[in-house]
Structures are given as C-alpha cells and as structure tokens.
Amino acid sequence: MEAGRAFPARLACSIQVNMPSQPDTDGSDPEAALLARYAAGDPSAARLLSAKVLPRIYAHAVRVLGDNSEAEDVAQDAMMRLWGIAPTWRSGDAKITTWLYRVVANLCTDRLRRRRTEALDDIAEPADPAQSIEQKLQRAAREDALQAALNTLPDRQRQAVILRHIEGLANPEIAAILDIGVEAVESLTARGKRGLKAALVDQRAALGFENDR
Amino acid sequence: MTDDKEMTDTDLEAIFDAARAHPPDVPEQLMKRVVADAATHQPGRSGWARLFDMLGGLPGLGGMATATCVGIWIGVAPPTNVPDFAGQILGFEVTTDEGLEGATLTGFGWDIEEGKSDG
C-alpha cells in the first residue's frame, strides 16, 4: 500500500464527529495513553499500540472482506490515519478502538462497493450460496464455512454480526462504529444470524452438528 | 419441535466460538510496515531521526559504515588478485611509471650516489 493514500472525504469527515462511545467508566483508555506517548515522541509507543490494536482491526477486515491481502491494505491504511490524527487526538472523545473499527468498517464498505461495481455480471446472476459453501466445506473446517457464510451477507449485516458475535463488542459501541442506532444494530445482527443459519443449514452434517441433539 | 436439519443458535455460537478462538494472525511484514509508517509520521522527531529510522536504525548504519570502510580500503590498497574494475569498465588502463630515468629521482642525484657506493 502506498503511504499517505488519499482518504475518502466522506470517511474523513464522518470519523471526526459524533462518536458517542466514551472511554471506560474509570476514565482509562490504555490505547489513548499510548497514542499520547506516540504524539509526544516516544519511539516505543507505536510498537506497543500496534501490538494491541492491529490484530483486532486486521481480523475484522479479514472477516469482512474475506481476502487477506485487501485486509492488510485496509489495516495499514487505518493505522496510518491513526498516526496522522495522533497530535490532535483528545482523550475522552472516543475510544481508540472504536475509532479504528469505524475507519476499518468504512474502508471495507468502500472496497465491497467497488467490488460490486467492478463485477456487475456476478451481481446480476449471483452464485447459489449453498452450492458455494458446499464446495468449500468439502475441504474446509467450520471457520472456512463461517467465512463463506459471512460473505453471503450484505455489508452492514456482516459487519454487525462480526463485531457483535466474533469481536464481542457491545451494541452501543457497534452503533457508534456503524453510525446507526442501537435498535438498528439489534435488527442487523438478528437478520445477519438468520442469514448465516440459512447459508449454513445444508452443511450441518459437514460441520459436525448432525448428532449434537 | 425443532427440525433436525435446522441450524440453531447453539450451532451458530459453536462456530462463532471457533472463530474467536483462532483469529487470523497479523502478518509480520504488515506489523513492520505499520511500525515504519508510525516512525515516519511521528510528530516531534527531527529529519535526521526519521532518516536514521529509514536507513534501518543502528544496525543499518553499522552495515553501511562497514561497507564504506571496506570500499575505501580496497580502493586505496587493492589486493593482488583483485582486478582493476575501472580499467575493465573504461576499456583501457592508465599506468604511471615513475622510473629512475625520470627527472624526479635523478634531480636529487640519488642514482649517482648509489652508483658511487657500488663502485
């Protein structure tokens, strides 16, 4: 990825304002403290902060995009934005992780949108998700099946399900990341789970659930 | 009654558990790139400090210093078996022969004195 790549104006604006998710109730935000040390010139702070947050946002990008290479670009881009905003970051505005997830979510949305634009033929006649999953499950374990099922969900549902059920975030934080209300998060995750079940139902035996009950 | 072929919340949660237990590993090169980006854009660091980081820090500069010293050494006092790369590139060699017939040595009369001592 090229350093300092242009950031979409819509995203650049949207991540600066209206971040309702606050730091922890005790006022501590270890990531914010590290970012402040980085901004003050501490050369070790960037490595420590990267070790804490990069695995989370990279994993999120991998699961949303289903492509490791694209996920690397997104994660690096998001971290670049973090370094850039470090001098003006105000503790108490929002949690660093929430801000980062939001940047990653928007970058992923942009990429998924471009994919749709570049592959209109595929959208016009989408492949049968069950068939695609079945082919994958012949050589894949549950994680691969989950990724394949996630890929069948619309972008917002996919992000909400991943943030809620895999990243383990609370609904208010997901609402802040996706810039929607808490009720909308609940609706997205519920519909997302229904979509996953529908995508996975034909693979129950292959996933080892046949004899669970 | 639950359909035996229906995915349940429990089934789905088991799959989520597996995903949580095995998050994708961050590639080492990605971590290096991110940390390098951070060093490049860190506020309050001088241009020299950023150049120092770009060159690989102390290990990088150590290697460069060693290579420079070796290069100068070979240039000043090339080993016997080392070919003249300048001559190979240019296609000809220039040699200077400051022989005894030159005016430099004879001007001091050293050759004459040596001849006297021999005689």
Side-chain angles (χ1 to χ4, degrees):
Chain A
M1 190 200 79
E2 292 181 16
R5 187 167 48 202
F7 206 47
R10 174 186 60 75
L11 179 58
C13 294
S14 67
I15 59 179
Q16 300 282 354
V17 295
N18 298 328
M19 295 292 286
S21 179
Q22 298 295 315
D24 297 341
T25 51
D26 62 356
S28 66
D29 184 359
E31 288 83 10
L34 283 171
L35 190 65
R37 282 173 52 188
Y38 166 77
D42 182 344
S44 66
R47 185 176 297 277
L48 294 171
L49 183 54
S50 299
K52 287 172 77 76
V53 300
L54 185 58
R56 297 177 67 179
I57 62 170
Y58 173 70
H60 182 68
V62 167
R63 285 170 176 138
V64 172
L65 296 171
D67 182 299
N68 291 10
S69 177
E70 281 196 277
E72 285 191 37
D73 284 351
V74 164
Q76 186 179 358
D77 202 346
M79 292 301 291
M80 182 77 84
R81 300 291 152 184
L82 182 64
W83 308 135
I85 204 172
T88 56
W89 184 272
R90 291 181 303 170
S91 290
D93 281 356
K95 287 174 64 178
I96 298 285
T97 49
T98 304
W99 186 90
L100 273 174
Y101 271 125
R102 187 167 184 176
V103 173
V104 169
N106 285 330
L107 288 172
C108 288
T109 297
D110 287 344
R111 283 179 177 259
L112 292 172
R113 194 171 291 150
R114 278 206 298 273
R115 280 186 198 171
R116 284 195 292 271
T117 304
E118 292 167 359
L120 287 175
D121 290 344
D122 292 343
I123 297 302
E125 295 182 14
D128 178 4
Q131 180 64 26
S132 172
I133 292 168
E134 185 172 357
Q135 290 170 349
K136 280 181 177 268
L137 288 180
Q138 288 174 355
R139 58 178 172 76
R142 291 181 179 181
E143 286 180 51
D144 296 319
L146 174 62
Q147 185 62 58
L150 284 169
N151 291 346
T152 66
L153 297 181
D155 170 35
R156 305 290 274 181
Q157 285 182 29
R158 191 187 313 179
Q159 300 229 32
V161 166
I162 293 168
L163 290 168
R164 180 73 187 91
H165 295 287
I166 300 179
E167 304 297 331
L169 302 186
N171 284 348
E173 185 167 11
I174 299 171
I177 292 167
L178 299 180
D179 198 20
I180 56 178
V182 174
E183 293 80 8
V185 172
E186 293 168 354
S187 173
L188 281 175
T189 51
R191 281 185 283 149
K193 284 178 69 176
R194 280 200 299 273
L196 287 181
K197 288 177 183 176
L200 293 167
V201 67
D202 290 340
Q203 310 304 321
R204 285 195 69 250
L207 292 173
F209 295 120
E210 192 88 288
N211 301 319
D212 283 2
R213 58 178 176 240
Chain B
M1 180 181 165
T2 304
D3 183 351
D4 281 349
K5 293 185 178 180
E6 182 184 337
M7 285 288 290
T8 66
D9 284 343
T10 306
D11 295 339
L12 208 50
E13 191 55 41
I15 297 178
F16 288 144
D17 283 342
R20 279 193 293 268
H22 301 287
D25 293 328
V26 175
E28 189 178 343
Q29 288 303 316
L30 172 61
M31 183 63 82
K32 286 182 178 175
R33 290 201 303 271
V34 166
V35 172
D37 287 344
T40 304
H41 294 85
Q42 186 159 27
R45 303 203 74 207
S46 68
W48 287 112
R50 293 179 185 179
L51 180 63
F52 181 77
D53 289 333
M54 287 174 63
L55 293 175
L58 206 54
L61 282 183
M64 286 179 63
T66 304
T68 303
C69 291
V70 170
I72 292 173
W73 184 9
I74 291 176
V76 171
T80 308
N81 294 329
V82 173
D84 184 349
F85 289 112
Q88 290 180 351
I89 293 171
L90 295 173
F92 62 91
E93 294 186 18
V94 176
T95 57
T96 56
D97 182 13
E98 296 181 353
L100 294 177
E101 62 274 15
T104 308
L105 290 178
T106 55
F108 291 101
W110 292 343
D111 52 337
I112 299 172
E113 290 175 7
E114 285 180 2
K116 282 181 179 177
S117 65
D118 288 344

